[in-house]
């Protein structure tokens, strides 16, 4: 037999004898495995993280809407308006005068700086303040209220978020204090009623006749501290509205000073008049023959002025005997 | 869709590597019997043959992406089977590489199991012939038996067998020559029967 040739008889016998096949279950298992391998093979499938950008965008949108919904509307506008109020405040700083023209400026909580001399026909300052507050509330802007915040606090640069929160807190505080101040105004008219409004009691002297030193002293009191920021010296009239308790105290002090000044002036005026009147009255009584009454008046005059009485009395009355005052 | 019969094994394998499961079915149908019988004759145990057979095809499935038609598909397939068989021998530690003229196998022939009787393909009239032939093949030395089986079941050429087994062609020729001689001698008394059965 050729070595390279195959024995045909053996081949045929082997083909007839060897016909074993793998079990059908094994066939099925192998075919399934082949199919699974093909099905699980990597295909040009889309990225399984395709939804990440969409989820991120949706999350951002939801957060934005939520923040907008949760933020009170009055806290949105002031953030912008407050920045806009810086320029006018800076401009008004030069216009602002350190001393108010009269007590009117002191007790007026929110009189604009430009309105240096409000007309007498204008409503009272509390009424103006309340009206303006109502107008600002109607317009949704608290710029006016913001302008009344003490400048030392406002001019300090702060982070935007912190500034927002502080402004919101100041708004609430200012609103509450304004209401308290309004209530205080009603409760104590002597402290809150401005001088351009007629005082409840009849006074012969206007409030403007207050002695100059006291007004200067008050003006000194209102001057900003030397180390205060430049903006702090600007609208001093805005302080009372921002700090009603301070305003109330100041109003009280001013009212007291005004009363004291008025009383002092009245006393001075009364004393000056009484000298003339007393002398005239004593002389009239003496001329009318009512010597007893003239003597009483003279005694009262001497009692009032003491040793100076002789200097004040004319010569004809100086020699007149005075009856002791009752 | 079943692959056309004219498609070569290499094309089917490439198609399967590209994701065509039907190509694998066609390929499997072509070669499952030969590989199975090759393993069965080598390991001589049906259960182990089933396990090895499954491992061979699973290895083929896993290696589909790296398949390159640089050689015949059958060579690659039977190399997988051969390697798996060698691994099995090493694991069971009973691999006995014998020379081509090893004659010490007479006693093992009687102990070899016959063909699996539950296979429907076995014809009843060739039962005796088949059993004796299988027993004769099983009695061959492993190297001769492997060369014989690769030639009969895989249809590999001498060069392919030499390449697969890692020996020279002359060695393969020698193994085949000795093996066939042994089988021919065992089947002399059945010569007449063979002629009748083969027509």
């Amino acid at each position: 037999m050729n070595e390279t040739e195959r024995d045909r008889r053996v081949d045929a016998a082997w083909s007839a004898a060897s016909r074993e096949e793998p079990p059908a279950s094994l066939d099925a298992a192998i075919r399934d495995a082949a199919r699974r391998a093909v099905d699980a093979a990597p295909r040009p499938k889309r990225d399984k993280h395709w939804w990440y950008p969409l989820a991120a965008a949706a999350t951002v949108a939801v957060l934005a809407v939520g923040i907008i919904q949760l933020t009170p509307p009055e806290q949105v506008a002031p953030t912008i308006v407050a920045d806009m109020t810086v320029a006018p405040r800076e401009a008004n700083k030069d216009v602002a005068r350190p001393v108010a023209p009269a007590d009117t400026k002191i007790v007026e909580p929110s009189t604009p700086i430009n309105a240096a001399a409000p007309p007498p026909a204008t409503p009272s300052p509390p009424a103006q303040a309340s009206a303006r507050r109502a107008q600002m509330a109607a317009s949704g802007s608290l710029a006016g209220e913001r302008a009344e915040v003490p400048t030392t606090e406002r001019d300090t640069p702060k982070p935007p978020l912190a500034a927002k929160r502080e402004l919101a807190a100041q708004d609430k505080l200012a609103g509450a204090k304004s209401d308290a101040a309004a209530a205080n105004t009603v409760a104590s008219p002597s402290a809150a009623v401005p001088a351009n409004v007629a005082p409840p009691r009849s006074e012969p002297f206007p409030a403007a006749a207050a002695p100059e030193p006291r007004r200067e002293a008050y003006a000194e009191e209102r001057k900003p501290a030397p180390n205060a920021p430049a903006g702090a010296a600007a609208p001093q009239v805005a302080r009372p509205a921002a700090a009603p308790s301070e305003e109330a105290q100041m109003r009280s002090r001013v009212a007291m000073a005004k009363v004291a000044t008025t009383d002092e002036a009245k006393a001075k005026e009364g004393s000056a008049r009484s000298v003339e009147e007393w002398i005239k009255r004593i002389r009239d009584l003496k001329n009318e023959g009512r010597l007893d009454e003239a003597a009483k008046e003279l005694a009262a005059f001497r009692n009032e002025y003491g040793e100076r009485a002789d200097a004040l009395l004319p010569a004809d009355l100086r020699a007149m005997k005075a009856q002791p005052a009752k | 869709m079943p692959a056309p019969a004219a498609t070569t094994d290499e094309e089917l394998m490439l198609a399967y590597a590209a994701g065509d499961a039907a190509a694998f079915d066609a390929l499997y149908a072509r070669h499952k019997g030969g590989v199975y019988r090759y393993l069965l004759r080598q390991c001589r145990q049906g259960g182990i043959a089933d396990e090895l057979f499954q491992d061979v095809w699973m290895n083929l499935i896993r290696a589909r992406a790296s398949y390159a038609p640089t050689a015949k598909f059958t060579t690659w397939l039977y190399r997988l089977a051969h390697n798996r068989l060698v691994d099995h021998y090493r694991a069971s530690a009973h691999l006995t590489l014998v020379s081509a003229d090893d004659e010490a196998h007479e006693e093992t022939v009687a102990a070899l199991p016959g063909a699996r009787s539950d296979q429907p393909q076995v014809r009843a009239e060739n039962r005796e012939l088949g059993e004796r032939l299988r027993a004769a093949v099983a009695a061959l030395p492993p190297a001769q038996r492997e060369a014989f089986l690769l030639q009969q079941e895989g249809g590999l050429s001498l060069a392919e067998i030499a390449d697969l087994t890692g020996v020279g062609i002359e060695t393969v020729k020698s193994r085949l020559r000795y093996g066939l001689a042994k089988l021919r001698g065992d089947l002399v008394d059945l010569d007449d029967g063979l002629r009748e059965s083969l027509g």
Side-chain angles (χ1 to χ4, degrees), chain A residues 10 14, chain B residues 41-42 44 96 98-100 102-106 108-109 112 133-149 175-184 186:
Chain A
V10 173
W14 185 255
Chain B
R41 304 300 175 217
Q42 290 284 69
R44 307 171 190 178
T96 53
V98 294
S99 63
D102 187 6
E103 302 291 341
H105 57 273
E106 297 295 338
T108 59
V109 174
L112 287 176
L133 183 58
R134 288 190 292 272
V137 170
L140 289 175
Q144 295 176 15
R145 185 172 63 243
E146 183 176 43
F148 173 79
L149 290 174
R175 288 176 179 176
L176 285 173
R177 185 174 60 247
Y178 282 107
L180 286 173
K182 179 64 179 171
L183 291 175
R184 206 177 290 121
D186 290 342

Side-chain angles (χ1 to χ4, degrees), chain A residues 228-254:
Chain A
Q236 291 293 334
V237 291
R239 286 183 63 186
S245 59
E246 186 179 351
E247 173 196 0
Q249 291 178 358
M250 193 167 294
R251 284 177 181 172
S252 173
R253 285 200 303 267
V254 169

